[in-house]
């Protein structure tokens, strides 16, 4: 018997490499989920569709393979939006099947009728209606192909009645993959070489585009005598095995990366789309290499821009540039970086005070060599990026482009599904964890061995810091939290709460040794400052203004705690 549209779509996605589909079953996707039930694809039943979007994106980002989501018409599909936008902006290859009301009911205000194309078209590589059974296989293959090769979300909107229809023909459409060699022309390469050879203090700023170019980037940097700073998304691919590495710049960075980028005379941007223009050098020759023409000169004016993959362009440059034997510049930046890294690793002398850096360093020490770390938007991602050491096997995934809350443990669900037996650790803020707390039940139901570590400061800590830097009294950031360790027990997970420093090391080891899902709730310093590598006078003045306002409003104790917990008890 011929296949219906639901069966055709599932078979096409399986052929493209998809293994799982995340979502909540119901009405207009019942025939799709039935087709999945009878196939080799796994259905992962989450409690909230946003979690499904995060989970699919986490899986797809870490594997580089296709992951899927499916949502019912109206609210079922719109619940996915934030998780899928996060996944798309990470470049994760995800196909989302967004069902719609029956064809005959579209456009007349039928209950749950939502036109999803304008919702998803702005953040997707492909967004189309499957309008007939004849185009189902073709559009599914194209959606998977664009998601995999362009990196991002592809959306198929399917009216519920189309799933059961059967096409009159079924041409053999299939998803194709590509790995082209892309590099600048000889004339363009000559211009880049001339600029690099003329530089006396050359620095490289490596971005996510360096994901498959570790060896080529380091070889080019070595020949140029150039320190390598990296964007936060490039950590996994550039930090390890790199004697020229000087860390990040920007608010999350440290002094080594800041110095390398701001004080150089020639800056080579490799697959880098760093958004904060104030951290680029004021007077330097800037060269940008990117695979996408739209990224060149997008963040800051550049002197030379070329199109090419980082891998292929660096390989072409290595044999063309002159060797820079003077290592004074790179050595100075390296020295600054090592000192700033040591300074950033705060250590408390008070047993009742745990710095979040101490918790992160304990995780770094006890985690497996191939552990995967996710981190919530806000301060957990800062500590992850600064203090979890990449080694070529470990991976990290904070929310860096979309900048959302509540991403860490939902993304980790998908990663755990994709890598059974591999240690996956979600570094959660208390605000982020509580926002999507319902899917802790998913961990229990499917026995997903995820390790959740809560940086519990009883506040929206990063927002509180932003308010203080703006000279405002922090407001509406207070969180009244439960004992998350006790909550873990209530839903069938391992759980423990830590409030004293002497318990920290043993508790981290116990969590990671546990054979199953668990939550470690750690009370960390609420007054912790995320210190950038360069502090503007306006920031100091605004923080002083906050202190003055706090004193005048009777909140003197907060000012004392801010100073004591950041400077006196380290």
């Amino acid at each position: 018997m011929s296949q219906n549209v639901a069966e055709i779509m599932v078979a096409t996605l399986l052929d493209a490499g998809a293994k799982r589909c995340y979502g909540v079953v119901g009405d207009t996707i019942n025939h799709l989920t039935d087709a999945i039930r009878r196939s080799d694809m796994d259905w992962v039943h989450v409690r909230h569709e946003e979690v499904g979007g995060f989970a699919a994106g986490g899986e797809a980002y870490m594997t580089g393979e296709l992951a899927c989501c499916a949502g019912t018409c109206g609210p079922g599909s719109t619940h996915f939006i934030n998780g899928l936008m996060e996944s798309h902006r990470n470049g994760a290859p995800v196909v989302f099947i967004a069902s719609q009301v029956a064809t005959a009911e579209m456009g007349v205000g039928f209950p749950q009728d939502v036109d999803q194309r304008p919702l998803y078209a702005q953040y997707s590589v492909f967004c189309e209606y499957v309008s007939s059974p004849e185009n189902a296989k073709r559009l599914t293959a194209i959606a998977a192909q664009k998601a995999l090769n362009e990196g991002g979300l592809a959306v198929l909107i399917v009216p519920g009645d189309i799933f059961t229809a059967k096409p009159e023909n079924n041409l053999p459409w299939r998803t194709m993959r590509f790995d082209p060699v892309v590099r600048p022309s000889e004339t363009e390469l000559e211009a880049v070489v001339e600029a690099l050879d003329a530089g006396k203090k050359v620095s490289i700023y490596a971005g996510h585009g360096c994901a498959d170019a570790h060896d080529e980037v380091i070889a080019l940097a070595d020949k140029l005598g150039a320190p390598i700073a990296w964007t936060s998304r490039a950590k996994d691919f550039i930090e390890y095995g790199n004697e020229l590495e000087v860390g990040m710049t920007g608010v999350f960075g440290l002094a080594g990366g800041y110095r390398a980028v701001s004080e150089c005379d020639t800056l080579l941007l490799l697959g880098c789309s760093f958004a904060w223009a104030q951290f680029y050098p004021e007077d330097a020759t800037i060269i940008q290499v990117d695979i996408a023409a739209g990224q060149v000169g997008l963040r800051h004016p550049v002197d030379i821009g070329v199109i090419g993959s980082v891998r292929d362009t660096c390989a072409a440059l290595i044999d063309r540039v002159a060797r820079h034997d003077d290592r004074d510049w790179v050595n100075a930046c390296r020295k600054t970086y090592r000192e700033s890294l040591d300074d950033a690793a705060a250590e408390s002398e008070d047993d009742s005070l745990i710095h979040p850096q101490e918790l992160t360093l304990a995780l770094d020490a006890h985690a497996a060599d191939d552990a995967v770390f996710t981190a919530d938007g806000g301060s957990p991602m800062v500590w992850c990026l600064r203090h979890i050491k990449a080694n070529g096997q470990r991976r990290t995934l904070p929310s860096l482009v979309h900048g959302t809350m509540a991403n860490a443990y939902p993304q980790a669900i998908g990663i755990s599904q994709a890598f059974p037996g591999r240690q996956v650790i979600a570094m959660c803020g208390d605000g982020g964890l509580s926002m999507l707390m319902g899917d802790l039940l998913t961990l229990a139901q499917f026995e997903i061995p995820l390790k959740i570590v809560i940086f519990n400061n009883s506040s929206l800590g990063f927002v509180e810091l932003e308010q203080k830097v703006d000279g405002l009294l922090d407001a509406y950031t207070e969180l009244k939290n439960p004992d998350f360790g006790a909550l873990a027990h209530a839903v069938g997970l391992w759980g423990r709460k830590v409030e004293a420093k002497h318990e920290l090391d043993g508790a981290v080891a116990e969590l990671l040794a546990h054979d199953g899902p668990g939550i470690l709730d750690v009370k960390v310093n609420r007054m912790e400052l995320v210190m950038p590598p360069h502090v503007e006078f306006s920031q100091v003045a605004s923080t002083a203004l906050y202190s003055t306002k706090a004193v005048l409003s009777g909140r003197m104790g907060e000012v004392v705690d801010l100073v004591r917990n950041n400077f006196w008890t380290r």
Side-chain angles (χ1 to χ4, degrees):
M1 295 178 63
S2 61
Q3 292 179 308
N4 65 26
V5 166
E7 293 163 336
I8 288 169
M9 294 181 74
V10 171
T12 304
L13 292 168
L14 279 166
D15 185 61
K19 292 181 172 62
R20 271 164 291 276
C21 187
Y22 299 81
V24 178
V25 297
D27 49 57
T28 47
I29 61 167
N30 283 336
H31 288 282
L32 177 69
T33 54
D34 186 64
I36 290 173
R37 178 185 62 81
R38 292 180 282 107
S39 75
D40 291 331
M41 185 178 288
D42 291 331
W43 175 263
V44 183
H45 172 47
V46 295
R47 300 302 178 101
H48 192 297
E49 285 95 343
E50 183 179 351
V51 170
F54 281 129
E59 173 182 340
Y61 180 85
M62 286 299 171
T63 63
E65 295 292 335
L66 202 64
C68 301
C69 294
T72 60
C73 61
S77 292
T78 56
H79 271 163
F80 274 101
I81 288 177
N82 190 55
L84 290 176
M85 282 190 174
E86 162 77 10
S87 301
H88 174 70
R89 300 196 74 179
N90 285 337
V94 175
V95 168
F96 174 45
I97 301 170
S99 68
Q100 175 59 297
V101 298
T103 309
E105 306 297 348
M106 291 169 56
V108 294
F110 194 78
Q112 298 190 326
D113 180 4
V114 175
D115 182 4
Q116 293 164 91
R117 179 183 278 165
L119 298 179
Y120 284 105
Q122 61 181 310
Y123 284 113
S124 62
V125 296
F126 184 81
C127 185
E128 293 294 340
Y129 273 87
V130 177
S131 55
S132 75
E134 280 68 35
N135 70 1
K137 187 176 183 69
R138 181 182 190 179
L139 291 180
T140 304
I142 292 171
Q145 184 167 302
K146 289 180 77 68
L148 284 164
N149 291 288
E150 296 182 26
L153 172 67
V155 181
L156 294 164
I157 305 169
V158 190
D161 56 314
I162 296 290
F163 282 122
T164 57
K166 296 182 179 180
E168 294 182 3
N169 61 69
N170 193 9
L171 295 175
W173 303 102
R174 64 185 180 87
T175 297
M176 303 183 72
R177 303 187 187 214
F178 310 99
D179 186 22
V181 173
V182 184
R183 41 154 282 189
S185 68
E186 288 298 324
T187 301
E188 291 171 321
L189 286 172
E190 287 175 8
V192 173
V193 169
E194 182 179 350
L196 292 173
D197 286 350
K200 303 300 182 184
K201 294 163 62 176
V202 180
S203 291
I204 287 176
Y205 197 16
H208 189 261
C210 299
D212 61 350
H214 173 272
D215 293 349
E216 290 83 359
V217 171
I218 291 177
L220 178 61
D222 180 65
K223 197 163 185 183
L224 293 171
I228 305 173
W230 38 265
T231 68
S232 48
R233 296 187 72 213
K235 173 183 178 69
D236 295 0
F237 318 116
I238 293 299
E239 184 179 23
Y240 74 94
N242 184 356
E243 293 301 318
L244 303 169
E245 178 262 325
V246 293
M248 301 175 293
T249 185
V251 174
F252 297 170
L254 296 170
Y258 177 82
R259 181 178 185 182
V261 173
S262 64
E263 297 180 16
C264 66
D265 60 31
T266 307
L267 181 63
L268 178 58
L269 305 174
L270 296 176
C272 167
S273 186
F274 181 70
W276 285 270
Q278 66 267 35
F279 289 96
Y280 285 81
E282 293 183 1
D283 186 20
T285 299
I286 300 180
I287 306 161
Q288 185 172 4
V289 178
D290 206 285
I291 195 70
Q295 292 294 328
V296 176
L298 179 66
R299 305 303 189 186
H300 191 279
V302 300
D303 297 284
I304 301 172
V306 295
I307 303 304
S309 75
V310 173
R311 178 192 62 194
D312 300 327
T313 305
C314 285
L317 289 172
I318 288 168
D319 294 331
R320 289 171 166 81
V321 297
R323 174 168 287 280
H324 293 216
D325 291 321
D326 186 344
R327 296 304 199 206
D328 288 349
W329 168 237
V330 67
N331 289 340
C333 291
R334 287 280 292 170
K335 181 175 184 292
T336 301
Y337 175 56
R338 287 191 294 267
E339 291 172 351
S340 63
L341 194 61
D342 288 341
D343 290 342
E347 184 173 355
S348 171
E349 297 176 1
D350 182 347
D351 193 50
S352 65
L353 176 67
I354 301 173
H355 291 291
Q357 299 96 311
E358 294 176 295
L359 172 54
T360 309
L361 289 167
L363 289 171
D364 182 68
H366 287 284
D369 288 341
D370 65 346
V372 182
F373 298 83
T374 60
D376 269 340
S379 54
M381 68 183 178
V382 179
W383 313 129
C384 176
L385 291 166
R386 286 185 178 179
H387 302 297
I388 296 297
K389 192 67 177 174
N391 60 11
Q393 299 179 70
R394 286 180 173 177
R395 295 296 307 275
T396 57
L397 179 55
S399 178
L400 294 165
V401 183
H402 193 45
T404 184
M405 288 178 64
N407 60 290
Y409 98 84
Q411 288 173 325
I413 288 174
I415 297 167
S416 293
Q417 293 291 94
F419 297 105
R422 189 169 178 179
Q423 194 176 76
V424 182
I425 303 166
M427 299 170 60
C428 298
D430 45 354
L433 187 281
S434 57
M435 183 177 280
L436 287 173
M437 204 154 52
D439 270 272
L440 295 177
L441 301 173
T442 301
L443 301 184
Q445 181 169 339
F446 290 96
E447 298 181 346
I448 300 171
L450 173 60
K451 315 304 184 206
I452 295 175
V453 180
I454 301 176
F455 288 66
N456 189 345
N457 55 15
S458 298
S459 71
L460 300 175
F462 210 72
V463 176
E464 204 165 80
L465 179 63
E466 290 168 342
Q467 292 174 343
K468 291 172 182 175
V469 169
D470 281 342
L472 303 172
L473 287 175
D474 50 286
Y476 313 122
T477 58
E478 184 84 20
L479 296 176
K480 184 176 181 180
N481 291 322
D483 179 331
F484 289 109
L487 177 67
H489 290 298
V491 298
L493 310 179
W494 180 96
R496 181 173 173 182
K497 184 177 180 67
V498 170
E499 297 183 284
K501 180 182 173 181
H502 74 271
E503 298 177 350
L504 181 63
D505 199 65
V508 168
E510 186 180 359
L511 169 71
L512 298 182
H514 175 66
D515 184 20
I519 295 177
L520 181 62
D521 179 5
V522 182
K523 181 182 178 183
V524 296
N525 178 25
R526 179 170 180 169
M527 295 294 173
E528 195 72 33
L529 293 175
V530 177
M531 297 297 292
H534 177 72
V535 180
E536 299 288 345
F537 174 77
S538 60
Q539 294 172 323
V540 177
S542 294
T543 305
L545 179 61
Y546 153 77
S547 300
T548 302
K549 289 179 179 178
V551 171
L552 293 176
S553 64
R555 292 164 59 174
M556 179 65 183
E558 292 184 10
V559 179
V560 173
D561 285 345
L562 184 71
V563 175
R564 182 181 66 230
N565 293 350
N566 281 278
F567 303 105
W568 293 353
T569 54
R570 291 182 186 268

